[in-house]
Amino acid sequence: MAQKKPTLLRRLINFTIAYIKYYVSGCKDVDSNTYIKRLDTCLRCENLDTLNECAVCGCPIFDKAKMKTEKCPINKWN
């Protein structure tokens, strides 16, 4: 069952933290195969909303999936 999406403030905080970690790491991206696998997982997830944002953390999946420093909040990226 899909989860209730975090508030706008919580989503902004979550993505800001993710982006800071990404920036501090030197903006390192995952390789293209990993990116495709992550997106595929997100696009099939019951927690994906109609704006292509994760309903668990509120982050935009097309951005977060590329960040080497990030993980799925419910451990679906393996």
Side-chain angles (χ1 to χ4, degrees):
M1 180 171 172
Q3 179 166 324
K4 185 179 178 200
K5 194 169 179 178
T7 65
L8 177 59
L9 179 59
R10 174 58 15 204
R11 293 188 326 248
L12 288 171
I13 290 168
N14 288 347
F15 192 64
T16 299
I17 291 168
Y19 194 81
I20 289 170
K21 288 190 299 184
Y22 174 70
Y23 182 78
V24 169
S25 80
C27 298
K28 294 180 183 169
D29 294 338
V30 296
D31 61 76
S32 59
N33 287 335
T34 301
Y35 180 65
I36 290 167
K37 287 178 187 175
R38 285 180 172 191
L39 282 181
D40 182 57
T41 300
C42 290
L43 290 170
R44 292 183 291 112
C45 183
E46 66 277 3
N47 292 302
L48 180 67
D49 74 6
T50 57
L51 299 174
N52 290 322
E53 293 177 347
C54 175
V56 177
C57 66
C59 292
I61 63 161
F62 288 97
D63 295 321
K64 188 171 180 175
K66 75 175 181 179
M67 298 176 177
K68 197 170 194 172
T69 53
E70 291 307 299
K71 296 181 177 12
C72 170
I74 54 176
N75 298 316
K76 287 193 171 188
W77 296 344
N78 293 326

